Amino acid sequence: MGKRVGMEVSIAASEAVRLANVDVIAAYPITPQTHIVEHLSEFVNNGELDAEFVPVESEHSAMSVCSGSQAVGARSFTCTSSQGLILMSEIVYCTAAMRLPVIMVLANRSLSNPISIWNDHTDVMSIRDCGWIQYFAENGQDVFDHVLISYRVGEDRDVMLPVIVNMDGFSVSHVIEPVELVDQETVDKFLPPYKPDIVLDPAHPVTMGAIVLPSCYTEAKKAQDEAVKASMPTILKGWQEFGDLTGRYYHPIEEYRTEGAEVLLVTMGGIGETAMWAVDQMREKGRPVGLLKMRLWRPFPFEEFRKAASKARMLVVVDRAISYGGPGGPVASELRSALYNEPKRPLVANFIAGLASRDVAPFDFIEMVDRAEGACKKGMEPEYEIYGVRE
Amino acid sequence: MKPEQDYKWRDFERGYVITEPGSSREYHTGDWRSQRPIFDKERCIKCGVCWIFCPDCAIRFDAEGYAEMDLDYCKGCGICSRECLPGAITMVDEEG
Ligand code: SF4
Ligand code: SF4
């Protein structure tokens, strides 16, 4: 059993990176990710972590350094937010296609413009199709655990893909929570040293990141799509093994009070914990409402999602980003298409809420369920709505 | 390496890594050419400027030190011709 301590979630994330014994850290500070970088540079400075800390001049360079170091066989880490993510996005795509298992923590924050340092999911949704495995953490324990799980899964020879651990900026990253740490011995048991079979080495020259011609590009992309899909069994195995060591078991979709639920709220990230309160309150009044929390975003857990959603009459999906002029929130539109070919499928109502950290309280979730139910009773197909907007 | 059109999606090394060095030699960029450089040995002063500028590394030097364009890779951009001060390289249209 690990030690249970109260600590800021950013510091817990740094602790996990230290325990993973990374070789290279390259990151550029940006709110709200800054505490992670600061803490890691202290570790390196104080000799508590034997790693190369590269204080790069931009996030584009941060991801370039991490890709390069991962390519020579060094376990690498970076973290960023918002504008930093879109600045590095060119290399984010390359890292995945080149199958370099860099691990990145994203302290999710809105994209400009208007400038906002606060939290929502508009940053990560801009790189939705980057080919990384993407987890969404709900609290400090999730973040700590998933940094370790990410290295285990990403570096597995059957996977070899980079992994993003998303956590909400401020509302998760900056809060102090009880976190049960895992001791070094247990981490070492769970996470073997990184030993890739192909590395950049002048003694055995290889080319990474070369051109392919149109005659091969389609096959190259098919190979990448298959690689991300094929990571699923290892992701499940990673959670199972981590659970066996720590007692904490995770799933692609976490279900909360879904027995007999006719309506299911669906959340991703930190607001899931508030939604649990709302579900408790509705259950107390005898309303058959449950909650699905999306922990795994890529590869998309189709099978698990369809199974979890199939018995409900309606899903009330809370998105933290908008596709302007498109189908509403990205999560809801993916859930809809995942259900489209099902013989019996629930209605999907979609609320976009919590932009730039606007509070989503338990009564807001109840209000969303009420409104979606109301629309249904009037025979209207529920569409998307930007919740709580002042008219 | 086998011809690119024979690659099936499972045939790539992970991450499209190329494990055979120098495989780009198999791709003859000379096929793209619509003009070819004509070299005049009388004018060449062996300065090597064309060799520096050629974007395709298609220029080498013969035993006597004169420039030589490898038409398997020369894609006919004309840069060498423009940069050669004594005017030893002239571009002419390819036939057909
Ligand atoms: S630039 Fe002209 S003169 Fe100089 S080496 Fe080339 S062909 Fe000869
Ligand atoms: S024409 Fe262009 S490609 Fe051909 S030899 Fe000259 S510089 Fe090189």
Side-chain angles (χ1 to χ4, degrees):
Chain A
M1 264 295 153
K3 205 163 56 158
R4 194 170 148 91
V5 285
M7 60 164 65
E8 187 188 313
V9 173
S10 291
I11 298 192
S14 323
E15 277 294 335
V17 174
R18 186 182 66 76
L19 286 159
N21 197 14
V22 302
D23 302 305
V24 174
I25 300 156
Y28 189 87
I30 181 170
T31 303
Q33 148 271 32
T34 323
H35 291 179
I36 307 175
V37 199
E38 285 174 354
H39 209 69
L40 287 171
S41 66
E42 276 174 33
F43 279 150
V44 175
N45 178 66
N46 299 347
E48 292 164 85
L49 172 60
D50 180 19
E52 199 66 46
F53 188 96
V54 190
V56 282
E57 77 285 12
S58 79
E59 287 83 356
H60 190 279
S61 303
M63 189 49 76
S64 302
V65 166
C66 285
S67 296
S69 52
Q70 199 81 35
V72 300
R75 183 174 283 166
S76 307
F77 177 81
T78 191
C79 49
T80 192
S81 296
S82 181
Q83 307 308 118
L85 176 66
I86 53 174
L87 180 56
M88 69 162 62
S89 64
E90 179 187 359
I91 315 301
V92 169
Y93 278 73
C94 297
T95 309
M98 292 169 70
R99 310 284 299 276
L100 300 168
V102 175
I103 305 307
M104 167 158 70
V105 170
L106 282 184
N108 298 127
R109 160 184 155 183
S110 333
L111 286 182
S112 298
N113 203 284
I115 297 170
S116 158
I117 61 163
W118 290 274
N119 158 247
D120 56 43
H121 293 166
T122 51
D123 57 359
V124 63
M125 289 305 163
S126 76
I127 53 143
R128 186 191 64 174
D129 298 329
C130 64
W132 289 48
I133 292 172
Q134 299 182 45
Y135 295 120
F136 274 79
E138 222 183 300
N139 55 38
Q141 189 69 62
D142 281 12
V143 173
F144 176 85
D145 291 350
H146 279 81
V147 169
L148 298 171
I149 292 166
S150 294
Y151 279 109
R152 175 77 169 75
V153 170
E155 291 174 0
D156 192 294
R157 286 278 172 87
D158 293 339
V159 177
M160 290 296 281
L161 285 167
V163 186
I164 292 171
V165 180
N166 288 284
M167 67 165 161
D168 288 317
F170 296 115
S171 57
V172 175
S173 69
H174 280 52
V175 296
I176 294 172
E177 287 185 7
V179 177
E180 196 177 298
L181 301 178
V182 180
D183 59 61
Q184 189 69 61
E185 203 184 316
T186 312
V187 171
D188 293 345
K189 230 186 281 165
F190 178 66
L191 185 59
Y194 178 48
K195 288 215 173 72
D197 48 354
I198 303 177
V199 290
L200 284 182
D201 173 3
H204 306 280
V206 297
T207 302
M208 293 188 181
I211 188 172
V212 308
L213 297 170
S215 55
C216 284
Y217 189 80
T218 307
E219 284 68 29
K221 292 291 109 174
K222 165 79 174 169
Q224 192 177 352
D225 185 37
E226 290 297 330
V228 177
K229 287 197 273 186
S231 66
M232 191 62 108
T234 312
I235 290 171
L236 299 176
K237 196 175 81 184
W239 277 329
Q240 180 68 40
E241 287 175 8
F242 188 82
D244 292 345
L245 283 173
T246 62
R248 292 190 292 278
Y249 291 91
Y250 295 102
H251 309 91
I253 292 177
E254 303 291 354
E255 299 191 22
Y256 182 70
R257 302 191 75 169
T258 53
E259 341 64 67
E262 291 174 23
V263 176
L264 290 171
L265 276 161
V266 186
T267 61
M268 199 155 82
I271 62 167
E273 298 209 329
T274 322
M276 288 159 77
W277 278 69
V279 166
D280 287 344
Q281 286 174 26
M282 288 185 276
R283 283 284 185 171
E284 256 168 51
K285 297 214 167 73
R287 299 179 68 179
V289 179
L291 171 65
L292 303 181
K293 296 181 287 182
M294 307 281 299
R295 183 180 299 289
L296 185 64
W297 179 231
R298 284 295 183 276
F300 189 91
F302 287 100
E303 199 185 309
E304 292 81 359
F305 169 69
R306 287 187 186 123
K307 204 165 139 258
S310 63
K311 283 187 229 85
R313 176 165 54 73
M314 181 164 64
L315 305 183
V316 180
V317 185
V318 188
D319 257 291
R320 314 281 319 280
I322 316 175
S323 172
Y324 310 110
V331 179
S333 68
E334 294 213 4
L335 301 187
R336 257 190 223 110
S337 65
L339 293 168
Y340 189 78
N341 287 331
E342 295 299 289
K344 197 179 146 290
R345 54 176 190 261
L347 292 171
V348 177
N350 182 204
F351 293 93
I352 290 150
L355 297 183
S357 292
R358 186 171 288 186
D359 213 11
V360 189
F363 65 79
D364 291 313
F365 288 106
I366 298 171
E367 170 78 16
M368 290 179 211
V369 171
D370 287 347
R371 248 192 258 181
E373 293 263 50
C376 269
K377 278 200 191 99
K378 284 192 209 131
M380 285 150 58
E381 181 83 18
E383 282 189 23
Y384 81 91
E385 178 186 330
I386 300 179
Y387 178 82
V389 72
R390 288 185 294 276
E391 296 284 351
Chain B
M1 277 167 79
K2 61 181 164 188
E4 350 121 25
Q5 62 275 11
D6 290 351
Y7 268 77
K8 299 194 176 73
W9 70 266
R10 285 190 180 84
D11 296 344
F12 293 101
E13 286 285 349
R14 188 179 55 228
Y16 324 122
V17 167
I18 299 169
T19 50
E20 280 176 48
S23 61
S24 62
R25 283 204 194 94
E26 289 165 35
Y27 187 67
H28 290 173
T29 47
D31 290 353
W32 305 0
R33 207 170 48 241
S34 63
Q35 287 195 320
R36 72 166 63 210
I38 304 294
F39 176 64
D40 181 355
K41 194 170 175 176
E42 297 303 309
R43 288 183 176 232
C44 176
I45 57 169
K46 306 179 183 175
C47 66
V49 165
C50 55
W51 175 81
I52 291 169
F53 276 89
C54 175
D56 284 279
C57 306
I59 294 175
R60 48 179 188 250
F61 299 101
D62 67 12
E64 288 175 72
Y66 288 107
E68 195 172 71
M69 291 86 207
D70 184 338
L71 294 182
D72 276 350
Y73 303 105
C74 163
K75 63 187 181 203
C77 66
I79 291 172
C80 55
S81 164
R82 190 194 151 103
E83 297 299 332
C84 173
L85 217 61
I89 306 172
T90 329
M91 301 304 291
V92 300
D93 285 347
E94 289 282 359
E95 307 280 304

